[in-house]
Amino acid sequence: ILNVEQSPQSLHVQEGDSTNFTCSFPSSNFYALHWYRWETAKSPEALFVMTLNGDEKKKGRISATLNTKEGYSYLYIKGSQPEDSATYLCAFLYNNNDMRFGAGTRLTVKP
Amino acid sequence: AAGVIQSPRHLIKEKRETATLKCYPIPRHDTVYWYQQGPGQDPQFLISFYEKMQSDKGSIPDRFSAQQFSDYHSELNMSSLELGDSALYFCASSSGGLNEKLFFGSGTQLSVL
C-alpha cells in the first residue's frame, strides 16, 4: 500500500516560532521526495526535490531533510512569518513517473 | 516561459450536468497530474498520466474520467455533477525523471449550483 502520510494535519504557531512537520513514505521503491507550498487560491509552488538519503536542502528560512532508509522527511521553518501560512505538501515519487501526494500540513502563523 | 495552461478558469454548472476541464502541460512535459481542493479542505490527488497512459489513481470518483491525448494535453470529464464537486481543480505537469519538479496551472474553479 502506497501511503504518504503527513503530520500534523494542521498547525497553528505564533509569528517568530520555529516549526517542523513530517512526511512519511514507503522506504521501498524510492525515487524522489518533493515538497510543495500551496497557498489558498494559488498554484502550488515547488520547494524542494530530494533524491539521496541524507539530503538536506535549504531555501531561506525553510529547510528539509530526507531519510530514505526509514522513510521520512522533515520540513523546518525557522522564525515563522504570517506569509508562511499555507498548506505544505509532500509527494513521493516511487517509480520514475508515479507520484503519490500526502494530504498536506496546513500551517497558520498568527501575527 | 510557457506555463501549464488550464481552461476554463471558472465554470458554473448545475447538479447532474457534465463538465470537462482541460490541461495543457508545458511543452515536452509528458506527465500530467490532476488535483482537487474543496473549500477549506486538504488537496486531494485524483489521477495522473504518463505518456498518454494512466499511471496512478487517487480519490477520483467513478463519475469522473480523464485521459491524456497524443499532444499530451489532458481532459478531466465529470458527469452527474454534485454540489460537493465544487472545488478548485489543479493540474500539474512534469518532464519525468528523478529531479524534475511539478509545475502547476492556475486551476479551474468549478461551482456546482
Side-chain angles (χ1 to χ4, degrees):
Chain A
I1 295 175
L2 288 161
N3 279 332
V4 179
E5 295 182 357
Q6 291 190 243
S7 62
Q9 189 174 30
S10 65
L11 193 56
H12 294 254
V13 300
Q14 288 293 136
E15 182 176 356
D17 287 350
S18 293
T19 187
N20 66 86
F21 17 96
T22 306
C23 173
S24 300
F25 51 87
S27 55
S28 58
N29 298 317
F30 175 86
Y31 272 67
L33 194 285
H34 295 209
W35 280 101
Y36 292 85
R37 180 173 179 274
W38 195 347
E39 287 183 74
T40 303
K42 292 186 179 179
S43 302
E45 171 197 1
L47 290 173
F48 305 114
V49 176
M50 295 187 287
T51 57
L52 299 175
N53 185 43
D55 256 356
E56 290 188 30
K57 299 246 176 160
K58 188 174 180 181
K59 186 176 182 180
R61 294 177 292 98
I62 304 177
S63 60
T65 61
L66 178 67
N67 184 322
T68 61
K69 293 184 179 179
E70 295 183 36
Y72 65 83
S73 175
Y74 293 138
L75 187 78
Y76 300 91
I77 302 178
K78 185 178 178 182
S80 302
Q81 300 295 310
E83 56 265 31
D84 295 329
S85 297
T87 295
Y88 291 84
L89 291 168
C90 72
F92 167 63
L93 187 69
Y94 59 95
N95 288 320
N96 206 20
N97 283 289
D98 290 338
M99 184 172 283
R100 180 71 62 146
F101 287 82
T105 292
R106 186 180 301 158
L107 175 67
T108 303
V109 182
K110 301 175 185 177
Chain B
V4 177
I5 297 172
Q6 288 187 248
S7 68
R9 290 294 303 274
H10 302 275
L11 188 59
I12 300 174
K13 290 285 185 178
E14 295 192 358
K15 282 172 56 178
R16 291 180 289 278
E17 285 191 320
T18 61
T20 297
L21 309 186
K22 297 184 180 183
C23 171
Y24 296 86
I26 290 173
R28 291 183 293 281
H29 280 193
D30 52 16
T31 306
V32 169
Y33 303 85
W34 284 98
Y35 224 31
Q36 174 197 57
Q37 186 179 33
Q41 295 180 4
D42 295 324
Q44 297 290 325
F45 170 65
L46 294 177
I47 195 167
S48 63
F49 293 89
Y50 166 64
E51 278 294 341
K52 294 155 278 187
M53 299 286 288
Q54 180 184 309
S55 64
D56 196 11
K57 194 171 181 179
S59 52
I60 184 168
D62 291 340
R63 298 178 290 106
F64 292 9
S65 64
Q67 57 183 322
Q68 186 179 31
F69 293 86
S70 57
D71 63 351
Y72 296 106
H73 94 272
S74 179
E75 294 185 4
L76 178 67
N77 299 294
M78 299 179 282
S79 61
S80 302
L81 286 169
E82 301 174 357
L83 296 178
D85 296 329
S86 296
L88 189 58
Y89 292 82
F90 285 105
C91 83
S93 75
S94 166
S95 59
L98 297 180
N99 289 301
E100 297 303 319
K101 60 186 178 183
L102 270 59
F103 292 84
F104 286 80
S106 299
T108 293
Q109 180 66 57
L110 172 66
S111 298
V112 182
L113 305 178

